[in-house]
Amino acid sequence: MEQDKGTPSVDGVARFGRLLLTGAAGGIGRAIRHRVAEFAERVRISDLPGVLPHDAAPHEELVPCDLANRQSVDALARDCDAIVHLGGVSVERPFEEILEANIKGVFNLYEAARRQGVKRIVFASSNHVTGFYRQDERIDATARKRPDGYYGLSKSFGEDMAQMYFDRYGIETVSIRIGSVFPEPKDRRMMASWMSYDDYHDLLRRSLFTKEVGHTIVFGMSANAHTWWDNRCAAHLGFVPRDSSEQFRDKIEATPPPSPTDPVAVLQGGAFTTTGPFDPV
Ligand code: NAI
Ligand code: 15L
């Protein structure tokens, strides 16, 4: 880590020398790629081969890598001080796909972090770790996990990897159980789960630079009028979201409502709770 040069770190912690960003070609990755430049002198940008753009900025290194390949991930993490881990399958899919990208992928990432001396990871977990809670329930990070599919299971596994690698090796992680980070909410459910890119960016900064996070689990949501999640267990991050889904309410409520018994209207995980099973053909 280098000396603080007036960059927007928190708690006076210095800026990183090199930050690794996985999943950089995805929706969130594209939105934050240029903004993470303020967190480090150099940013290593990674995604699957063939999907990264070729336009590296002077501070960027483009390194294609399949997270399922252990040797490639080990090389990817070399000389990195911190990792923002966004890469992987981001929706409910057959187990074999989830196994490769998300389960082997997160194992490879933590093993690489251990071997290469990376001390801080921000893991893109998901609200689908707790997707079977009802929308009329409010939970905090101590609530029992209730994954709503293979995807949610893989994020639950990622959180357990984070805990074990902190307890055994002192690698610190903030697992952000992201709600719905998109330009705007797409439906009524996302009025509760939506998070703006600006709020995500601020939470990312706090997750990278707050001293002594151990393994912290934080729900990633904006200051929406109605939410399902209580972030009391992550108060040390000092995260106070500024945006709200209210600005989109009229547009969302102009669309037909789902049936009140539809899982999208009942369960926090919405449609993920009923996607699959994926029987072999
Ligand atoms: P996305 O699907 O747009 O991006 C994921 C990226 O990971 C893609 O560019 C894909 O090519 C890459 N990837 C997939 N398999 C890979 C592999 N084997 N090796 C290397 N890269 C691989 O997803 P999005 O929306 O940008 O989300 C980023 C992360 O945040 C994901 O891990 C997702 O599960 C998580 N998340 C996102 C939420 C959201 O609202 N956008 C909500 C909750 C979690
Ligand atoms: C997720 O975990 C997905 O990655 C994203 O595509 C959204 O569907 C989000 O959850 C959500 O629950 O809205």
Side-chain angles (χ1 to χ4, degrees):
M1 226 183 250
E2 303 189 347
Q3 289 302 304
D4 193 349
K5 295 173 184 167
T7 52
S9 57
V10 293
D11 288 354
V13 178
R15 196 179 186 206
F16 293 108
R18 182 179 279 102
L19 176 75
L20 168 62
L21 176 67
T22 70
I28 298 179
R30 287 195 309 276
I32 64 159
R33 173 179 163 185
H34 297 292
R35 300 177 70 173
V36 300
E38 68 194 62
F39 300 147
E41 285 296 306
R42 301 197 64 75
V43 181
R44 187 167 291 165
I45 303 284
S46 186
D47 206 299
L48 281 170
V51 301
L52 280 173
H54 300 290
D55 59 335
H59 69 280
E60 289 179 333
E61 306 162 350
L62 302 187
V63 183
C65 173
D66 184 343
L67 290 161
N69 183 310
R70 190 166 177 176
Q71 284 72 33
S72 302
V73 178
D74 193 59
L76 183 67
R78 196 169 297 146
D79 300 324
C80 292
D81 301 301
I83 302 174
V84 175
H85 184 46
L86 297 176
V89 173
S90 64
V91 292
E92 183 63 358
R93 294 292 300 159
F95 181 71
E96 292 70 19
E97 292 179 35
I98 300 283
L99 176 66
E100 292 301 314
N102 292 21
I103 295 183
K104 289 185 188 169
V106 81
F107 169 78
N108 291 340
L109 190 93
Y110 273 90
E111 269 298 276
R114 178 185 67 78
R115 284 168 47 82
Q116 301 297 340
V118 179
K119 292 292 181 212
R120 179 71 60 99
I121 296 174
V122 183
F123 172 54
S125 186
S126 171
N127 70 88
H128 296 286
V129 170
T130 49
F132 265 105
Y133 285 95
R134 295 173 56 93
Q135 293 181 9
D136 57 12
E137 292 177 290
R138 193 173 168 87
I139 58 171
D140 65 23
T142 64
R144 184 164 57 96
K145 293 176 181 180
R146 300 183 68 184
D148 58 26
Y150 302 133
Y151 169 71
L153 267 178
S154 75
K155 295 297 185 180
S156 177
F157 175 77
E159 291 185 2
D160 283 348
M161 286 290 296
Q163 187 64 50
M164 188 195 113
Y165 275 69
F166 174 65
D167 289 335
R168 284 191 66 144
Y169 307 117
I171 297 171
E172 293 193 291
T173 296
V174 175
S175 291
I176 304 181
R177 282 187 189 162
I178 304 172
S180 307
V181 174
F182 296 107
E184 53 187 73
K186 298 175 182 176
D187 54 29
R188 285 171 165 74
R189 172 184 164 274
M190 288 192 193
M191 289 298 291
S193 61
W194 184 70
M195 184 182 215
S196 69
Y197 290 121
D198 284 350
D199 283 337
Y200 177 75
H201 178 259
D202 184 44
L203 181 53
L204 196 52
R205 180 172 63 91
R206 293 170 185 281
S207 300
L208 285 167
F209 293 107
T210 299
K211 285 180 187 161
E212 296 183 21
V213 296
H215 175 220
T216 296
I217 295 172
V218 59
F219 290 92
M221 62 193 164
S222 280
N224 304 326
H226 179 71
T227 64
W228 309 317
W229 306 314
D230 180 333
N231 268 334
R232 75 181 73 191
C233 302
H236 51 286
L237 297 179
F239 172 59
V240 181
R242 294 184 175 179
D243 293 320
S244 165
S245 59
E246 273 314 290
Q247 59 187 305
F248 305 106
R249 182 169 292 283
D250 291 348
K251 187 173 170 184
I252 292 293
E253 292 192 347
T255 60
S259 148
T261 57
D262 188 320
V264 302
V266 176
L267 296 171
Q268 294 187 7
F272 278 57
T273 62
T274 53
T275 306
F278 304 93
D279 292 327
V281 283

